[in-house]
């Protein structure tokens, strides 16, 4: 787990967190996977959202869960059927890994997804981000989850020069340091920073003029966009 730094006690970190949480409460999108804490449903959404846009995932998410409402039903399905139900989402390896994961969890974990990100990381197809996201979004663990959107926001806001593996390490440390210590706020913080990256601090255009955390952002304060 990333080491906690002193960042969470700095004015910038506190202001960033406070402003982000307030903005997310008002402006966060009402997405289906934000209405659930069902670990399997959260996992399905996270796997689908890797490399696929939110608007596209929404329809597939419901249909897939209607066909495979539980981990066990996915584990025992014919792989060709699973692939058929994934048709249109692309990157079929995700579906194969998801089914493998369902089989491992069914046979080795009694059908229950582990809560610990380190254990989640050992499951097929689960990387560091997805382990953190499932631990936080399903179990409300105060665990960092740094995907491309989150990394971009943290880089611009806290470490504009962060690059390479040392930069990545720094971003994960900062994400851990900024985490609220308890469940629901940690959930909202991780959802909020992803939402900010998706809607405001976008890859091509950073809408600093509209950004709720601008006063707590190094890039935004410089007016660099
Ligand atoms: S102020 Fe600009 S660079 Fe900073 S987080 Fe907001 S949109 Fe991104």
């Amino acid at each position: 787990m990333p080491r906690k730094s002193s960042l969470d006690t700095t004015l910038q970190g506190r202001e960033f967190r406070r402003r982000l949480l307030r903005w997310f409460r008002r402006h966060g999108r009402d997405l289906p996977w934000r209405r659930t804490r069902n670990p399997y449903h959260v996992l399905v959404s996270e796997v689908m959202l890797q490399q696929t846009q939110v608007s596209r995932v929404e329809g597939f998410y419901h249909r897939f869960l209607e066909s495979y409402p539980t981990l066990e039903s996915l584990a025992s399905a014919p792989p060709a059927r699973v692939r058929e139900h994934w048709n249109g989402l692309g990157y079929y390896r995700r579906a194969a890994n998801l089914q493998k994961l369902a089989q491992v969890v069914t046979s080795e974990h009694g059908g229950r997804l582990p809560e610990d990100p380190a254990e989640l990381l050992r499951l097929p197809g689960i990387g560091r981000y997805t382990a953190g996201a499932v631990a936080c979004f399903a179990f409300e663990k105060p665990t960092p989850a740094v995907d491309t959107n989150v990394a971009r926001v943290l880089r611009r806001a806290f470490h504009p020069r962060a690059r390479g593996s040392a930069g990545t390490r720094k971003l994960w440390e900062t994400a851990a340091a900024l985490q609220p210590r308890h469940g629901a706020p940690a959930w909202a913080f991780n959802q909020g920073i992803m939402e900010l990256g998706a809607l405001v601090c976008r890859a091509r255009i950073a809408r600093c003029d509209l950004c709720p955390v601008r006063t707590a952002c190094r890039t935004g304060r410089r007016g660099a966009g």
Side-chain angles (χ1 to χ4, degrees), residues 64-154:
F64 192 84
L65 290 178
E66 272 164 28
S67 305
Y68 308 107
T70 61
L71 263 172
E72 290 80 0
S73 60
L74 177 60
S76 60
R81 289 290 302 283
V82 175
R83 190 187 156 103
E84 228 171 79
H85 283 116
W86 201 268
N87 217 353
L89 266 178
Y91 300 99
Y92 295 110
R93 184 184 289 270
R94 292 182 296 175
N97 278 335
L98 190 58
Q99 186 171 36
K100 241 184 265 164
L101 181 153
Q103 289 160 350
V104 170
V105 171
T106 302
S107 62
E108 295 174 18
H109 296 270
R112 293 171 68 91
L113 271 169
E115 298 185 16
D116 180 354
E119 271 189 66
L120 285 162
L121 204 45
R122 287 198 279 274
L123 296 172
I126 299 287
R128 191 178 181 190
Y129 162 76
T130 308
V134 171
C136 181
F137 298 149
F139 301 106
E140 297 195 347
K141 300 272 180 202
T143 307
V146 181
D147 68 353
T148 314
N149 280 344
V150 174
R152 184 172 60 252
V153 173
L154 291 174

Side-chain angles (χ1 to χ4, degrees), residues 7-22:
L7 184 68
D8 57 342
T9 61
T10 66
L11 198 58
Q12 186 196 0
R14 282 205 305 270
E15 187 180 344
F16 180 93
R17 187 167 52 213
R18 185 174 54 78
R19 288 176 166 274
L20 180 74
L21 288 170
R22 191 173 58 191

Side-chain angles (χ1 to χ4, degrees), residues 16 152-154 156-157 196 200-202 205-221 225:
F16 180 93
R152 184 172 60 252
V153 173
L154 291 174
R156 287 172 176 169
L196 193 74
V200 181
C201 190
R202 303 180 69 161
I205 306 172
R207 301 299 313 269
C208 300
D209 51 330
L210 301 176
C211 184
V213 302
R214 184 174 187 173
T215 56
C217 171
R218 289 185 187 162
T219 303
R221 279 200 306 234

